[in-house]
Amino acid sequence: MVKGFEDTLRILSESLKTVDENMFKKLLDRCCLSLSEGKKVVVSGLGKNVPICEKFVGTMNSLGMDAVFLNTNSAVHGDMGIVKQEDVVIILTKSGETAESVYLAQLLKYRKVYMWLLSFERNSTLAEIIPDKLILDLEHEGDMWNIMPNNSTTLNLIILQNLAMRIAEERKISLEVFKSNHPGGHIGKLLS
């Protein structure tokens, strides 16, 4: 196998074993309930987590479920207007110390939302502020210095995509709904 693939797969697999299944189920149930009540799921992140959040939102929207991306930087410059009472807000940050994310979490406490943290540090400012959280252990980022957002962002993608699939399953989203939202490209031709 190409050098590094086995190590990466092992690191990702070991990290996924640290997901608290009860907390994941609680997040899943909360998302399903909020969506059934006409609310939405908001994901917020910075830097390399931006495309991860956008992928989750794209998947949810393709399945006909309300989800939006809130850029953590833009949030405090007016974009917080997309967050409504009883929405689910998931904040992604590896360290749990990102100043913009901490500030956003402090502001959201007054919005009466269901706030969640997806992170890799059990002892952090955000882990203290946000009671509901999924925190994974991560042995290594996979780069030469163990600094670059590499394995952590891949894990965030795996967690959020799995969440989207479980929400769709729980809500019994039909292929027809997906088909109506994805008429173009190869998938559109395949489903026509």
Side-chain angles (χ1 to χ4, degrees):
M1 185 175 277
V2 175
K3 183 182 181 323
F5 285 3
E6 288 179 343
D7 282 344
T8 299
L9 290 174
R10 180 189 58 75
I11 289 168
L12 296 177
S13 179
E14 289 301 315
S15 185
L16 289 169
K17 289 176 185 174
T18 67
V19 173
D20 183 324
E21 291 183 44
N22 292 326
M23 290 305 285
F24 185 84
K25 178 74 166 76
K26 182 177 178 181
L27 174 58
L28 171 62
D29 291 346
R30 180 69 262 165
C31 289
C32 288
L33 184 58
S34 289
L35 289 165
S36 70
E37 293 173 344
K39 308 302 178 186
K40 64 186 168 300
V41 179
V42 179
V43 284
S44 186
L46 287 173
K48 302 304 181 276
N49 277 320
V50 169
I52 305 305
C53 292
E54 290 173 337
K55 170 65 172 110
F56 170 76
V57 168
T59 298
M60 292 286 286
N61 292 167
S62 290
L63 294 164
M65 297 185 290
D66 270 343
V68 297
F69 167 58
L70 175 62
N71 186 295
T72 310
N73 276 333
S74 300
V76 298
H77 296 283
D79 288 3
M80 276 182 60
I82 66 170
V83 179
K84 306 297 185 214
Q85 190 168 330
E86 297 182 15
D87 283 346
V88 176
V89 180
I90 305 170
I91 297 176
L92 282 66
T93 167
K94 181 184 175 189
S95 67
E97 297 294 343
T98 307
E100 297 90 343
S101 299
V102 171
Y103 184 42
L104 177 61
Q106 290 168 336
L107 294 171
L108 288 173
K109 286 165 62 173
Y110 302 102
R111 291 266 171 145
K112 296 183 182 175
V113 298
Y114 298 100
M115 200 171 5
W116 280 79
L117 173 64
L118 179 52
S119 184
F120 296 87
E121 291 295 332
R122 295 187 184 281
N123 299 309
S124 71
T125 302
L126 280 174
E128 290 176 19
I129 293 173
I130 303 172
D132 291 321
K133 52 195 153 267
L134 286 174
I135 300 181
L136 284 71
D137 295 332
L138 179 60
E139 174 189 328
H140 201 278
E141 276 287 13
D143 64 284
M144 296 80 70
W145 314 283
N146 191 26
I147 292 174
M148 293 177 66
N150 183 37
N151 288 337
S152 59
T153 52
T154 302
L155 287 159
N156 284 341
L157 178 64
I158 292 169
I159 296 292
L160 289 178
Q161 287 303 111
N162 189 270
L163 177 63
M165 294 302 102
R166 299 296 70 78
I167 294 170
E169 188 177 59
E170 289 287 320
R171 300 191 73 221
K172 299 180 177 23
I173 302 297
S174 70
L175 182 59
E176 288 304 310
V177 169
F178 177 72
K179 179 180 172 180
S180 69
N181 292 325
H182 203 309
H186 178 73
I187 291 174
K189 286 181 184 176
L190 186 67
L191 295 176
S192 64

